[in-house]
Every structure is written in C-alpha cells, then in structure tokens.
Coordinates of all heavy atoms in Angstrom, one line a residue:
M1 N 30.7 -15.7 -33.7 CA 29.9 -14.5 -33.7 C 30.0 -13.7 -35.0 O 31.1 -13.5 -35.5 CB 30.4 -13.6 -32.5 CG 29.5 -12.5 -32.1 SD 30.2 -11.3 -30.9 CE 31.4 -12.3 -30.0
K2 N 28.9 -13.2 -35.5 CA 29.0 -12.4 -36.7 C 29.4 -11.0 -36.3 O 29.2 -10.6 -35.2 CB 27.6 -12.4 -37.4 CG 27.2 -13.8 -37.9 CD 25.8 -13.7 -38.6 CE 25.9 -13.0 -39.9 NZ 24.7 -12.9 -40.7
V3 N 29.9 -10.3 -37.3 CA 30.3 -8.9 -37.1 C 29.1 -8.1 -36.6 O 29.2 -7.3 -35.6 CB 30.8 -8.3 -38.4 CG1 31.1 -6.8 -38.2 CG2 32.1 -9.0 -38.8
S4 N 27.9 -8.3 -37.2 CA 26.7 -7.5 -36.7 C 26.3 -7.9 -35.3 O 25.9 -7.0 -34.5 CB 25.6 -7.8 -37.7 OG 25.2 -9.2 -37.7
E5 N 26.5 -9.1 -34.9 CA 26.3 -9.5 -33.5 C 27.2 -8.8 -32.5 O 26.8 -8.4 -31.5 CB 26.3 -11.0 -33.3 CG 25.2 -11.8 -34.0 CD 25.4 -13.3 -34.1 OE1 26.6 -13.7 -33.9 OE2 24.4 -14.0 -34.4
F6 N 28.5 -8.7 -32.9 CA 29.5 -8.1 -32.1 C 29.1 -6.6 -32.0 O 29.2 -6.0 -30.9 CB 30.9 -8.2 -32.6 CG 31.9 -7.6 -31.7 CD1 32.2 -8.2 -30.5 CD2 32.5 -6.4 -32.1 CE1 33.1 -7.6 -29.6 CE2 33.4 -5.8 -31.2 CZ 33.7 -6.4 -30.0
Q7 N 28.8 -6.0 -33.1 CA 28.5 -4.5 -33.1 C 27.2 -4.3 -32.2 O 27.2 -3.3 -31.4 CB 28.2 -4.0 -34.5 CG 27.9 -2.5 -34.5 CD 27.8 -2.0 -36.0 OE1 28.1 -2.6 -36.9 NE2 27.4 -0.7 -36.1
N8 N 26.3 -5.2 -32.2 CA 25.1 -5.1 -31.4 C 25.5 -5.3 -29.9 O 24.9 -4.6 -29.0 CB 24.0 -6.1 -31.8 CG 23.2 -5.6 -33.0 OD1 23.0 -4.3 -33.1 ND2 22.7 -6.5 -33.8
L9 N 26.4 -6.2 -29.6 CA 26.8 -6.4 -28.2 C 27.5 -5.1 -27.7 O 27.2 -4.7 -26.6 CB 27.9 -7.5 -28.2 CG 28.6 -7.7 -26.9 CD1 27.6 -8.2 -25.8 CD2 29.7 -8.7 -27.0
I10 N 28.3 -4.5 -28.5 CA 29.0 -3.3 -28.1 C 27.9 -2.2 -27.9 O 28.0 -1.3 -26.9 CB 30.1 -2.8 -29.1 CG1 31.2 -3.8 -29.1 CG2 30.6 -1.4 -28.8 CD1 32.0 -3.9 -27.8
K11 N 26.9 -2.2 -28.7 CA 25.8 -1.2 -28.5 C 25.1 -1.4 -27.2 O 24.9 -0.5 -26.5 CB 24.9 -1.3 -29.7 CG 23.9 -0.2 -29.8 CD 23.1 -0.2 -31.1 CE 22.5 1.1 -31.5 NZ 21.9 1.1 -32.8
D12 N 24.8 -2.7 -26.9 CA 24.1 -3.0 -25.7 C 24.9 -2.6 -24.5 O 24.4 -2.0 -23.5 CB 23.8 -4.5 -25.6 CG 22.7 -5.0 -26.6 OD1 22.0 -4.1 -27.1 OD2 22.7 -6.2 -26.8
L13 N 26.2 -2.8 -24.6 CA 27.1 -2.6 -23.4 C 27.4 -1.1 -23.2 O 27.4 -0.6 -22.1 CB 28.5 -3.3 -23.6 CG 28.5 -4.8 -23.5 CD1 29.8 -5.4 -24.0 CD2 28.2 -5.2 -22.0
Y14 N 27.6 -0.4 -24.3 CA 28.3 0.9 -24.2 C 27.6 2.1 -24.9 O 28.1 3.2 -24.8 CB 29.7 0.9 -24.7 CG 30.6 -0.1 -23.9 CD1 31.2 -1.2 -24.6 CD2 30.8 0.0 -22.6 CE1 32.0 -2.1 -23.9 CE2 31.5 -0.9 -21.9 CZ 32.2 -2.0 -22.6 OH 33.0 -2.8 -21.9
F15 N 26.5 1.9 -25.6 CA 25.9 2.9 -26.4 C 25.6 4.2 -25.6 O 25.9 5.3 -26.1 CB 24.7 2.5 -27.2 CG 24.3 3.5 -28.3 CD1 25.1 3.8 -29.3 CD2 23.0 4.1 -28.2 CE1 24.8 4.7 -30.3 CE2 22.7 5.0 -29.2 CZ 23.5 5.3 -30.2
K16 N 25.1 4.1 -24.4 CA 24.8 5.3 -23.6 C 26.0 6.1 -23.4 O 26.1 7.3 -23.6 CB 24.1 4.9 -22.3 CG 22.6 5.0 -22.3 CD 22.0 4.9 -20.9 CE 20.5 4.8 -21.0 NZ 19.9 4.3 -19.7
R17 N 27.1 5.4 -22.9 CA 28.3 6.1 -22.6 C 28.9 6.7 -23.9 O 29.5 7.8 -23.9 CB 29.3 5.1 -22.0 CG 29.5 5.3 -20.6 CD 30.7 4.4 -20.1 NE 30.3 3.2 -19.6 CZ 31.1 2.2 -19.2 NH1 32.4 2.3 -19.3 NH2 30.6 1.0 -18.8
D18 N 28.8 5.9 -25.0 CA 29.4 6.4 -26.3 C 28.7 7.6 -26.7 O 29.3 8.6 -27.2 CB 29.3 5.3 -27.4 CG 30.2 4.1 -27.2 OD1 31.2 4.2 -26.4 OD2 29.9 3.0 -27.7
L19 N 27.4 7.7 -26.6 CA 26.6 8.8 -26.9 C 27.0 10.1 -26.1 O 27.2 11.2 -26.7 CB 25.1 8.6 -26.7 CG 24.2 8.2 -27.9 CD1 22.7 8.2 -27.4 CD2 24.3 9.2 -29.0
N20 N 27.2 9.9 -24.8 CA 27.6 11.0 -24.0 C 29.0 11.5 -24.3 O 29.2 12.7 -24.2 CB 27.5 10.6 -22.5 CG 26.1 10.4 -22.0 OD1 25.2 11.1 -22.5 ND2 25.8 9.5 -21.0
R21 N 29.9 10.5 -24.7 CA 31.2 10.9 -25.0 C 31.3 11.6 -26.3 O 32.1 12.6 -26.5 CB 32.1 9.6 -25.0 CG 33.6 9.9 -25.0 CD 34.4 8.6 -25.2 NE 34.0 7.5 -24.3 CZ 33.2 6.4 -24.7 NH1 32.8 6.3 -26.0 NH2 32.9 5.5 -23.8
G22 N 30.6 11.1 -27.3 CA 30.6 11.8 -28.6 C 31.6 11.2 -29.5 O 32.5 10.4 -29.1
I23 N 31.4 11.5 -30.8 CA 32.2 10.9 -31.9 C 33.7 11.2 -31.8 O 34.6 10.4 -31.8 CB 31.7 11.3 -33.3 CG1 30.3 10.6 -33.5 CG2 32.7 10.8 -34.4 CD1 29.6 11.2 -34.7
E24 N 34.0 12.5 -31.5 CA 35.4 12.9 -31.5 C 36.2 12.3 -30.4 O 37.3 11.8 -30.6 CB 35.5 14.5 -31.4 CG 35.2 15.2 -32.7 CD 33.8 15.5 -33.0 OE1 32.9 15.1 -32.1 OE2 33.4 16.0 -34.0
V25 N 35.6 12.3 -29.2 CA 36.4 11.7 -28.1 C 36.5 10.2 -28.2 O 37.5 9.6 -27.9 CB 35.7 12.1 -26.7 CG1 36.5 11.5 -25.6 CG2 35.7 13.6 -26.6
T26 N 35.4 9.6 -28.8 CA 35.5 8.1 -29.0 C 36.6 7.8 -30.0 O 37.3 6.8 -29.8 CB 34.1 7.6 -29.5 OG1 33.1 7.9 -28.5 CG2 34.1 6.2 -29.8
F27 N 36.7 8.6 -31.0 CA 37.8 8.5 -32.0 C 39.1 8.6 -31.3 O 40.0 7.8 -31.6 CB 37.7 9.5 -33.1 CG 38.8 9.4 -34.1 CD1 38.9 8.3 -35.0 CD2 39.7 10.4 -34.2 CE1 39.9 8.3 -35.9 CE2 40.8 10.3 -35.1 CZ 40.9 9.3 -35.9
I28 N 39.3 9.5 -30.4 CA 40.6 9.6 -29.7 C 40.9 8.4 -28.9 O 42.0 7.9 -28.8 CB 40.6 10.9 -28.8 CG1 40.6 12.1 -29.7 CG2 41.7 10.9 -27.8 CD1 40.4 13.4 -29.0
W29 N 39.8 7.7 -28.3 CA 40.0 6.5 -27.6 C 40.5 5.4 -28.5 O 41.3 4.5 -28.2 CB 38.7 6.1 -26.9 CG 38.6 6.7 -25.5 CD1 37.9 7.8 -25.2 CD2 39.3 6.3 -24.3 NE1 38.1 8.1 -23.8 CE2 38.9 7.2 -23.3 CE3 40.2 5.3 -24.0 CZ2 39.4 7.1 -22.0 CZ3 40.7 5.2 -22.7 CH2 40.3 6.1 -21.7
L30 N 39.9 5.4 -29.7 CA 40.4 4.4 -30.7 C 41.9 4.5 -31.0 O 42.6 3.6 -31.0 CB 39.5 4.5 -32.0 CG 40.1 3.7 -33.2 CD1 40.1 2.2 -32.9 CD2 39.2 4.0 -34.4
I31 N 42.3 5.8 -31.2 CA 43.7 6.1 -31.4 C 44.6 5.7 -30.3 O 45.7 5.1 -30.4 CB 43.9 7.6 -31.8 CG1 43.1 7.9 -33.0 CG2 45.4 7.9 -32.0 CD1 43.4 7.1 -34.3
E32 N 44.1 5.9 -29.0 CA 44.8 5.4 -27.8 C 45.0 3.9 -27.9 O 46.1 3.5 -27.6 CB 43.9 5.8 -26.6 CG 44.3 5.2 -25.3 CD 45.5 5.9 -24.6 OE1 45.7 7.1 -25.0 OE2 46.2 5.3 -23.8
E33 N 44.0 3.2 -28.3 CA 44.1 1.7 -28.4 C 45.1 1.3 -29.4 O 45.9 0.4 -29.3 CB 42.8 1.0 -28.6 CG 41.8 1.2 -27.5 CD 42.2 0.6 -26.2 OE1 43.2 -0.2 -26.1 OE2 41.6 0.9 -25.2
I34 N 45.2 2.1 -30.5 CA 46.1 1.8 -31.6 C 47.5 2.1 -31.1 O 48.5 1.3 -31.3 CB 45.8 2.7 -32.9 CG1 44.5 2.1 -33.5 CG2 47.0 2.6 -33.8 CD1 44.0 3.0 -34.6
G35 N 47.7 3.1 -30.2 CA 48.9 3.4 -29.6 C 49.4 2.3 -28.6 O 50.5 1.9 -28.6
E36 N 48.4 1.7 -27.9 CA 48.7 0.6 -27.0 C 49.2 -0.6 -27.9 O 50.2 -1.3 -27.5 CB 47.5 0.2 -26.2 CG 47.2 1.2 -25.1 CD 45.9 0.9 -24.4 OE1 45.3 -0.1 -24.5 OE2 45.5 1.8 -23.5
F37 N 48.6 -0.8 -29.0 CA 49.0 -1.9 -29.9 C 50.4 -1.7 -30.4 O 51.2 -2.6 -30.5 CB 48.0 -2.1 -31.0 CG 48.3 -3.2 -32.0 CD1 48.4 -4.5 -31.5 CD2 48.4 -3.0 -33.3 CE1 48.6 -5.6 -32.4 CE2 48.6 -4.0 -34.2 CZ 48.7 -5.3 -33.7
A38 N 50.7 -0.4 -30.7 CA 52.0 0.0 -31.2 C 53.1 -0.4 -30.2 O 54.1 -0.9 -30.5 CB 52.1 1.5 -31.6
R39 N 52.7 -0.1 -28.9 CA 53.7 -0.3 -27.8 C 53.9 -1.8 -27.7 O 55.1 -2.3 -27.4 CB 53.2 0.2 -26.5 CG 54.0 1.5 -26.1 CD 53.3 2.2 -24.9 NE 52.3 3.0 -25.3 CZ 51.1 3.2 -24.6 NH1 50.9 2.6 -23.5 NH2 50.2 4.0 -25.1
V40 N 52.9 -2.6 -27.9 CA 53.1 -4.1 -27.8 C 54.0 -4.6 -28.9 O 54.9 -5.4 -28.7 CB 51.7 -4.8 -28.0 CG1 51.9 -6.3 -28.1 CG2 50.8 -4.6 -26.8
L41 N 53.8 -4.0 -30.1 CA 54.7 -4.4 -31.2 C 56.1 -4.0 -31.1 O 57.0 -4.6 -31.7 CB 54.1 -3.8 -32.6 CG 52.8 -4.4 -33.0 CD1 52.3 -3.7 -34.3 CD2 52.8 -5.9 -33.1
R42 N 56.3 -2.9 -30.3 CA 57.7 -2.4 -30.1 C 58.5 -3.2 -29.1 O 59.7 -3.0 -29.0 CB 57.7 -0.9 -29.7 CG 57.4 0.0 -30.9 CD 57.1 1.4 -30.4 NE 58.2 2.0 -29.6 CZ 59.3 2.5 -30.2 NH1 59.5 2.6 -31.4 NH2 60.3 3.0 -29.4
N43 N 57.9 -4.1 -28.4 CA 58.6 -4.9 -27.5 C 59.5 -5.9 -28.2 O 59.2 -6.3 -29.3 CB 57.7 -5.7 -26.6 CG 57.1 -4.9 -25.5 OD1 57.7 -3.9 -25.0 ND2 55.9 -5.2 -25.1
K44 N 60.7 -6.2 -27.7 CA 61.6 -7.1 -28.3 C 61.0 -8.5 -28.6 O 61.2 -9.1 -29.6 CB 62.9 -7.2 -27.5 CG 63.8 -6.0 -27.7 CD 65.3 -6.3 -27.5 CE 66.1 -5.1 -27.9 NZ 67.0 -4.7 -26.8
V45 N 60.3 -9.0 -27.6 CA 59.6 -10.3 -27.7 C 58.1 -10.0 -27.8 O 57.6 -9.3 -26.9 CB 59.9 -11.2 -26.5 CG1 59.2 -12.5 -26.6 CG2 61.4 -11.4 -26.3
L46 N 57.5 -10.5 -28.8 CA 56.1 -10.2 -29.0 C 55.3 -11.0 -28.0 O 55.4 -12.2 -27.8 CB 55.7 -10.7 -30.4 CG 54.1 -10.6 -30.7 CD1 53.7 -9.1 -30.8 CD2 53.7 -11.3 -31.9
N47 N 54.4 -10.2 -27.3 CA 53.5 -10.9 -26.3 C 52.2 -11.0 -27.1 O 51.4 -10.1 -27.2 CB 53.3 -10.0 -25.1 CG 52.5 -10.7 -24.0 OD1 51.4 -11.3 -24.3 ND2 52.8 -10.5 -22.8
R48 N 51.9 -12.2 -27.5 CA 50.7 -12.5 -28.4 C 49.4 -12.2 -27.6 O 48.4 -11.8 -28.2 CB 50.8 -13.9 -28.9 CG 49.9 -14.2 -30.1 CD 50.2 -15.5 -30.7 NE 51.6 -15.6 -31.2 CZ 52.0 -15.1 -32.4 NH1 51.1 -14.6 -33.2 NH2 53.2 -15.2 -32.8
Q49 N 49.4 -12.5 -26.3 CA 48.2 -12.3 -25.5 C 47.9 -10.8 -25.5 O 46.8 -10.4 -25.7 CB 48.5 -12.8 -24.1 CG 47.3 -12.5 -23.1 CD 46.0 -13.2 -23.6 OE1 46.0 -14.3 -24.2 NE2 44.9 -12.5 -23.3
N50 N 48.9 -10.0 -25.2 CA 48.7 -8.5 -25.2 C 48.3 -8.0 -26.6 O 47.4 -7.1 -26.7 CB 50.0 -7.8 -24.7 CG 50.3 -8.0 -23.2 OD1 49.4 -8.5 -22.5 ND2 51.4 -7.6 -22.8
A51 N 48.9 -8.5 -27.6 CA 48.6 -8.1 -29.0 C 47.1 -8.4 -29.3 O 46.4 -7.6 -29.8 CB 49.5 -8.8 -30.0
S52 N 46.7 -9.6 -28.9 CA 45.3 -10.0 -29.1 C 44.3 -9.1 -28.4 O 43.3 -8.8 -28.9 CB 45.1 -11.5 -28.8 OG 45.1 -11.7 -27.4
E53 N 44.7 -8.8 -27.1 CA 43.8 -7.9 -26.4 C 43.7 -6.5 -27.0 O 42.6 -5.9 -27.1 CB 44.3 -7.8 -24.9 CG 44.1 -9.0 -24.1 CD 44.6 -9.0 -22.7 OE1 44.9 -7.8 -22.2 OE2 44.8 -10.0 -22.1
E54 N 44.8 -6.0 -27.5 CA 44.8 -4.6 -28.1 C 44.0 -4.7 -29.4 O 43.3 -3.7 -29.7 CB 46.2 -4.1 -28.2 CG 46.9 -3.9 -26.9 CD 46.2 -3.1 -25.9 OE1 45.2 -2.4 -26.2 OE2 46.6 -3.2 -24.7
L55 N 44.2 -5.7 -30.2 CA 43.4 -5.8 -31.4 C 41.9 -5.9 -31.1 O 41.1 -5.3 -31.8 CB 43.8 -7.0 -32.2 CG 45.1 -6.9 -33.0 CD1 45.5 -8.2 -33.7 CD2 45.1 -5.7 -34.0
A56 N 41.6 -6.6 -30.1 CA 40.1 -6.7 -29.7 C 39.6 -5.3 -29.3 O 38.5 -4.9 -29.6 CB 40.0 -7.7 -28.5
D57 N 40.4 -4.6 -28.5 CA 40.1 -3.2 -28.1 C 39.8 -2.3 -29.4 O 38.9 -1.5 -29.4 CB 41.1 -2.5 -27.3 CG 41.2 -3.1 -25.9 OD1 40.2 -3.8 -25.4 OD2 42.3 -2.9 -25.2
I58 N 40.7 -2.5 -30.4 CA 40.6 -1.7 -31.6 C 39.3 -2.0 -32.3 O 38.6 -1.0 -32.7 CB 41.8 -1.9 -32.5 CG1 43.1 -1.3 -31.9 CG2 41.6 -1.3 -33.9 CD1 44.4 -1.7 -32.5
I59 N 38.9 -3.2 -32.4 CA 37.7 -3.6 -33.0 C 36.5 -3.1 -32.2 O 35.5 -2.6 -32.8 CB 37.6 -5.1 -33.2 CG1 38.7 -5.7 -34.1 CG2 36.2 -5.5 -33.8 CD1 38.7 -5.2 -35.5
A60 N 36.6 -3.2 -30.9 CA 35.5 -2.7 -30.0 C 35.3 -1.2 -30.2 O 34.1 -0.8 -30.4 CB 35.8 -3.1 -28.6
W61 N 36.3 -0.4 -30.2 CA 36.2 1.0 -30.3 C 35.7 1.4 -31.7 O 35.0 2.4 -31.9 CB 37.5 1.8 -29.9 CG 37.7 1.8 -28.4 CD1 38.5 1.1 -27.7 CD2 37.0 2.7 -27.5 NE1 38.4 1.4 -26.4 CE2 37.5 2.4 -26.2 CE3 36.1 3.7 -27.7 CZ2 37.0 3.1 -25.1 CZ3 35.6 4.4 -26.6 CH2 36.1 4.1 -25.3
T62 N 36.2 0.6 -32.7 CA 35.7 0.8 -34.1 C 34.2 0.6 -34.1 O 33.4 1.3 -34.8 CB 36.5 -0.1 -35.0 OG1 37.8 0.2 -35.0 CG2 35.9 0.0 -36.5
S63 N 33.7 -0.4 -33.4 CA 32.3 -0.7 -33.4 C 31.5 0.4 -32.7 O 30.4 0.7 -33.1 CB 32.1 -2.1 -32.6 OG 32.8 -3.1 -33.3
S64 N 32.1 1.0 -31.6 CA 31.4 2.1 -31.0 C 31.3 3.2 -31.9 O 30.2 3.9 -32.0 CB 32.3 2.6 -29.8 OG 32.0 1.7 -28.6
L65 N 32.3 3.5 -32.7 CA 32.2 4.6 -33.7 C 31.2 4.3 -34.7 O 30.4 5.2 -35.1 CB 33.6 4.8 -34.4 CG 34.6 5.7 -33.6 CD1 35.9 5.7 -34.4 CD2 34.1 7.1 -33.5
A66 N 31.1 3.1 -35.2 CA 30.1 2.7 -36.2 C 28.7 2.9 -35.6 O 27.8 3.4 -36.3 CB 30.3 1.2 -36.6
N67 N 28.5 2.5 -34.3 CA 27.2 2.7 -33.7 C 26.8 4.2 -33.6 O 25.7 4.6 -33.9 CB 27.2 2.1 -32.3 CG 27.2 0.6 -32.3 OD1 26.6 0.0 -33.3 ND2 27.7 0.0 -31.3
L68 N 27.8 5.0 -33.3 CA 27.5 6.5 -33.2 C 27.2 7.1 -34.6 O 26.4 8.0 -34.7 CB 28.7 7.2 -32.6 CG 28.9 7.0 -31.1 CD1 30.2 7.6 -30.6 CD2 27.7 7.6 -30.3
L69 N 27.9 6.5 -35.6 CA 27.7 7.0 -37.0 C 26.5 6.3 -37.7 O 26.2 6.6 -38.8 CB 29.0 6.8 -37.8 CG 30.1 7.7 -37.3 CD1 31.5 7.2 -37.8 CD2 29.9 9.2 -37.6
E70 N 25.9 5.4 -37.0 CA 24.8 4.6 -37.5 C 25.2 3.9 -38.8 O 24.5 4.0 -39.8 CB 23.5 5.5 -37.7 CG 23.0 6.0 -36.4 CD 21.8 6.9 -36.6 OE1 21.5 7.3 -37.7 OE2 21.1 7.2 -35.6
I71 N 26.4 3.3 -38.7 CA 26.9 2.5 -39.9 C 26.9 1.0 -39.5 O 27.3 0.7 -38.4 CB 28.4 2.9 -40.2 CG1 28.3 4.3 -40.8 CG2 29.1 1.9 -41.1 CD1 29.7 5.0 -40.9
N72 N 26.4 0.2 -40.4 CA 26.4 -1.2 -40.2 C 27.7 -1.8 -40.7 O 28.0 -1.8 -41.9 CB 25.2 -1.9 -40.9 CG 25.1 -3.4 -40.7 OD1 26.1 -4.1 -40.8 ND2 23.9 -3.9 -40.4
L73 N 28.6 -2.2 -39.7 CA 29.9 -2.6 -40.1 C 29.9 -3.8 -41.0 O 30.7 -3.9 -41.9 CB 30.7 -2.9 -38.8 CG 31.6 -1.8 -38.2 CD1 32.4 -2.4 -37.0 CD2 32.5 -1.2 -39.2
E74 N 29.0 -4.7 -40.7 CA 29.0 -6.0 -41.5 C 28.7 -5.7 -42.9 O 29.4 -6.2 -43.9 CB 28.0 -7.0 -40.9 CG 28.0 -8.3 -41.6 CD 27.3 -9.4 -40.8 OE1 27.6 -9.5 -39.6 OE2 26.5 -10.1 -41.4
S75 N 27.7 -4.8 -43.2 CA 27.4 -4.4 -44.5 C 28.5 -3.7 -45.2 O 28.8 -3.9 -46.4 CB 26.1 -3.5 -44.5 OG 25.1 -4.1 -43.9
A76 N 29.2 -2.8 -44.4 CA 30.3 -2.0 -44.9 C 31.4 -2.9 -45.3 O 32.1 -2.8 -46.4 CB 30.8 -1.0 -43.9
L77 N 31.7 -3.9 -44.5 CA 32.8 -4.9 -44.8 C 32.5 -5.7 -46.1 O 33.3 -5.9 -46.9 CB 33.0 -5.8 -43.6 CG 33.8 -5.1 -42.4 CD1 33.6 -6.0 -41.2 CD2 35.2 -4.9 -42.7
L78 N 31.2 -6.2 -46.1 CA 30.9 -7.0 -47.3 C 30.9 -6.2 -48.6 O 31.2 -6.8 -49.6 CB 29.5 -7.6 -47.1 CG 29.4 -8.8 -46.0 CD1 28.0 -9.1 -45.7 CD2 30.2 -10.0 -46.6
K79 N 30.6 -4.9 -48.5 CA 30.6 -4.1 -49.7 C 32.0 -3.9 -50.2 O 32.3 -3.9 -51.4 CB 29.9 -2.8 -49.4 CG 29.6 -2.0 -50.6 CD 28.7 -0.8 -50.3 CE 28.4 0.1 -51.5 NZ 27.9 1.4 -51.2
K80 N 32.9 -3.6 -49.2 CA 34.3 -3.3 -49.6 C 35.2 -4.6 -49.8 O 36.2 -4.5 -50.5 CB 35.0 -2.4 -48.6 CG 34.9 -1.0 -48.9 CD 36.0 -0.2 -48.3 CE 37.1 0.2 -49.4 NZ 38.1 1.0 -48.8
Y81 N 34.8 -5.6 -49.1 CA 35.5 -6.9 -49.2 C 34.6 -8.0 -49.5 O 34.4 -8.9 -48.7 CB 36.3 -7.1 -47.9 CG 37.2 -6.0 -47.6 CD1 36.8 -4.9 -46.7 CD2 38.5 -5.9 -48.1 CE1 37.6 -3.8 -46.5 CE2 39.3 -4.8 -47.8 CZ 38.9 -3.8 -47.0 OH 39.7 -2.7 -46.8
P82 N 34.1 -8.1 -50.8 CA 33.0 -9.0 -51.2 C 33.6 -10.4 -51.6 O 33.0 -11.1 -52.4 CB 32.4 -8.3 -52.3 CG 33.5 -7.5 -53.0 CD 34.4 -7.1 -51.9
G83 N 34.7 -10.8 -51.0 CA 35.2 -12.1 -51.3 C 36.2 -12.1 -52.4 O 36.8 -13.2 -52.8
K84 N 36.4 -10.9 -53.0 CA 37.5 -10.8 -54.0 C 37.9 -9.3 -53.9 O 37.2 -8.5 -53.4 CB 37.0 -11.1 -55.4 CG 35.8 -10.3 -55.8 CD 35.2 -10.9 -57.1 CE 33.9 -10.0 -57.4 NZ 33.1 -10.6 -58.4
C85 N 39.1 -9.0 -54.4 CA 39.6 -7.6 -54.5 C 38.6 -6.8 -55.4 O 38.3 -7.2 -56.5 CB 41.0 -7.6 -55.0 SG 41.6 -5.9 -55.4
I86 N 38.2 -5.7 -54.9 CA 37.2 -4.9 -55.7 C 37.9 -4.2 -56.8 O 37.2 -3.7 -57.7 CB 36.4 -3.9 -54.8 CG1 37.3 -2.9 -54.1 CG2 35.4 -4.6 -53.8 CD1 36.6 -1.8 -53.3
K87 N 39.2 -4.1 -56.9 CA 39.9 -3.5 -58.0 C 40.2 -4.5 -59.1 O 39.8 -4.3 -60.2 CB 41.2 -2.8 -57.5 CG 40.9 -1.5 -56.8 CD 42.2 -0.9 -56.3 CE 41.9 0.2 -55.3 NZ 43.1 0.5 -54.4
C88 N 40.9 -5.6 -58.8 CA 41.3 -6.5 -59.8 C 40.3 -7.7 -59.9 O 40.4 -8.5 -60.8 CB 42.7 -7.1 -59.5 SG 42.8 -8.1 -58.0
K89 N 39.3 -7.7 -59.0 CA 38.3 -8.8 -59.0 C 38.8 -10.2 -58.7 O 38.2 -11.2 -59.1 CB 37.4 -8.8 -60.3 CG 37.0 -7.4 -60.8 CD 36.0 -6.8 -59.9 CE 35.5 -5.5 -60.5 NZ 35.0 -4.6 -59.4
S90 N 40.1 -10.3 -58.2 CA 40.7 -11.6 -58.0 C 40.8 -11.9 -56.5 O 40.8 -11.0 -55.7 CB 42.1 -11.6 -58.6 OG 42.0 -11.6 -60.0
N91 N 40.9 -13.2 -56.2 CA 41.2 -13.6 -54.8 C 42.2 -14.8 -54.9 O 41.8 -15.9 -55.4 CB 39.9 -14.0 -54.1 CG 40.2 -14.5 -52.7 OD1 41.4 -14.5 -52.2 ND2 39.2 -15.0 -52.0
P92 N 43.5 -14.6 -54.5 CA 44.0 -13.4 -53.9 C 44.2 -12.3 -54.9 O 44.2 -12.5 -56.1 CB 45.4 -13.9 -53.4 CG 45.8 -15.1 -54.2 CD 44.5 -15.7 -54.6
C93 N 44.3 -11.1 -54.3 CA 44.5 -9.9 -55.1 C 45.8 -10.0 -56.0 O 46.8 -10.4 -55.5 CB 44.6 -8.7 -54.1 SG 45.2 -7.1 -54.9
I94 N 45.7 -9.5 -57.2 CA 46.8 -9.5 -58.1 C 47.2 -8.1 -58.5 O 47.9 -7.9 -59.5 CB 46.6 -10.4 -59.3 CG1 45.3 -10.1 -60.0 CG2 46.7 -11.9 -58.9 CD1 45.2 -10.8 -61.4
C95 N 46.7 -7.1 -57.8 CA 47.0 -5.7 -58.1 C 48.5 -5.5 -57.9 O 49.2 -6.2 -57.2 CB 46.3 -4.7 -57.2 SG 44.5 -4.6 -57.4
Q96 N 49.1 -4.6 -58.7 CA 50.5 -4.2 -58.6 C 51.4 -5.3 -59.0 O 52.6 -5.4 -58.5 CB 50.9 -3.7 -57.2 CG 50.1 -2.4 -56.8 CD 50.3 -2.0 -55.4 OE1 50.6 -2.9 -54.5 NE2 50.2 -0.7 -55.0
K97 N 51.0 -6.2 -59.8 CA 51.9 -7.2 -60.3 C 52.4 -6.9 -61.7 O 51.7 -6.2 -62.4 CB 51.1 -8.6 -60.4 CG 51.3 -9.3 -59.0 CD 50.9 -10.8 -59.2 CE 51.2 -11.5 -57.9 NZ 50.7 -12.9 -57.9
Ligands
MG16 MG1 43.8 -1.5 -24.8
ZN17 ZN1 43.5 -6.4 -56.4

C-alpha cells in the first residue's frame, strides 16, 4: 500500500468524524497514542505486537491530521526524504561526522 492510498483509506473511514472533532482534539488523540507507545516501551520485556499496533495508531492519527490540514503526506515525505539526506545529500546520511 502506498502512503497516499493509506491516507485515502483513513479519509474514507474517518474524515467525517475527524472534521467534527477538529484539528486540536485530533492532535491530542495522536499524543495519546504516542503515550500508549511509550507505555509499551517501558515494559521490561518488549511486546512487539503491542508496539506494532501503537505505531500503526500513530501513523493513522497522523494521517487524520494530514487530511484535516489538506496535506498530502506522500508528497510531504518525498520532499523531505527524497532518497538521500537533504542536508548532506548522502545516503546514508553523513551529517555530524
Ligand atoms: Mg493505541
Ligand atoms: Zn545528512
């Protein structure tokens, strides 16, 4: 699945609810998911299944925010991460060496 396809899926599933909730409250939900991910990482034994679910939630809420802000995440990612570091122009990055 491409990033744009996932963003569209989230739009199909949740855009009405996201619109009603608004940007600020949606952002708070994203932070809630980051908190859930933090709790997974704080366990003595890493539960990879729980970690993967929380990372998926984080990407989903990020996609909801992008939909509300009318930002194409795939374009944004390609612009900032065009296959090489945008500062040193290398892959892998050799900044701070
Ligand atoms: Mg979660
Ligand atoms: Zn670099």
Side-chain angles (χ1 to χ4, degrees):
M1 193 189 333
K2 295 181 71 176
V3 172
S4 59
E5 290 169 344
F6 183 73
Q7 184 173 351
N8 280 329
L9 170 67
I10 293 297
K11 193 171 199 171
D12 290 342
L13 287 170
Y14 300 123
F15 190 61
K16 262 190 187 167
R17 253 191 267 173
D18 289 341
L19 260 186
N20 287 330
R21 191 187 312 105
I23 291 167
E24 282 84 1
V25 179
T26 299
F27 176 71
I28 289 169
W29 273 101
L30 169 61
I31 299 305
E32 168 80 21
E33 296 299 345
I34 291 170
E36 289 175 6
F37 184 55
R39 254 173 276 141
V40 171
L41 294 181
R42 282 170 55 85
N43 285 332
K44 282 206 173 129
V45 180
L46 177 70
N47 185 319
R48 197 169 299 277
Q49 176 62 32
N50 289 349
S52 71
E53 287 177 17
E54 298 309 340
L55 282 178
D57 288 341
I58 289 166
I59 299 294
W61 283 101
T62 299
S63 301
S64 280
L65 276 175
N67 286 333
L68 287 172
L69 293 165
E70 297 180 346
I71 289 168
N72 182 312
L73 266 186
E74 185 164 310
S75 303
L77 287 166
L78 285 171
K79 194 171 176 193
K80 267 209 101 174
Y81 303 93
K84 60 191 176 192
C85 173
I86 56 174
K87 287 180 192 154
C88 66
K89 316 289 184 207
S90 292
N91 180 2
C93 168
I94 53 170
C95 291
Q96 294 171 337
K97 270 196 175 170

